[in-house]
Amino acid sequence: MKRLFTGFLSMALLLWAAAAAAQGAKVIENHKTFGDYHVSYSVFNSEFISPDIARQYNLVRAPDRAFVNISVRKKEDTQGMSAGVSGNATNLIQQSRTLEFREVRDNKAVYYLAPFRFENEENLTFNIDLVLPDGSTQQLTFRRQLHKK
């Protein structure tokens, strides 16, 4: 009976720990709302872009290169809009690099890409300055850890 109780208690503690870990898990956000505008953002390795698309848009693909992607749209709309986008990326020892964003238009889609180099498992904080279509300014800050493919 003691063995059964110990087994039950162990299982209950394991389930409690799993539930606590799941609640504490951090959800990685990829968008933020500023008034009437929805701003989506992502960071991805340049090798996720196919060679044909990279050639078409003159983008460099390499294991140590990534892109920050920003798009701005009205909340109720699906089409991207022109905006002012600038920013930087800072690592854990406060080394900062300027991000040079380039507007990309693909049919009706509008988004902004900034290429940058990174070290494997580098943690970067991205500080993005936005001038939204209505002229208001906002700042977007997020952190990502990057891995070479």
Side-chain angles (χ1 to χ4, degrees), residues 61-104:
R61 298 173 71 244
D64 68 340
R65 292 186 185 215
F67 289 96
V68 179
N69 180 30
I70 306 287
S71 68
V72 176
R73 65 177 176 81
K74 281 273 206 185
K75 275 199 267 188
E76 66 279 350
D77 210 353
T78 58
Q79 300 299 321
M81 305 176 79
S82 290
V85 183
S86 61
N88 65 54
T90 305
N91 64 16
L92 293 176
I93 59 172
Q94 300 306 303
Q95 295 171 320
S96 182
R97 60 195 85 154
T98 301
L99 298 170
E100 302 289 333
F101 284 92
R102 172 178 147 194
E103 185 178 89
V104 177

Side-chain angles (χ1 to χ4, degrees), residues 15-88:
L15 291 173
W16 174 80
Q23 284 184 343
K26 195 167 193 172
V27 175
I28 296 177
E29 291 193 13
N30 63 355
H31 67 276
K32 188 158 185 173
T33 301
F34 298 104
D36 291 336
Y37 297 98
H38 182 87
V39 178
S40 297
Y41 53 92
S42 62
V43 178
F44 58 91
N45 190 293
S46 65
E47 292 187 325
F48 287 140
I49 298 174
S50 73
D52 291 338
I53 297 295
R55 219 175 355 270
Q56 179 181 348
Y57 290 100
N58 198 27
L59 304 172
V60 177
R61 298 173 71 244
D64 68 340
R65 292 186 185 215
F67 289 96
V68 179
N69 180 30
I70 306 287
S71 68
V72 176
R73 65 177 176 81
K74 281 273 206 185
K75 275 199 267 188
E76 66 279 350
D77 210 353
T78 58
Q79 300 299 321
M81 305 176 79
S82 290
V85 183
S86 61
N88 65 54

Side-chain angles (χ1 to χ4, degrees), residues 21 41 51 110 126 128:
Y41 53 92
V110 179
F126 296 89
I128 310 298

Side-chain angles (χ1 to χ4, degrees), residues 7 76 123 136:
E76 66 279 350
N123 285 292
S136 67

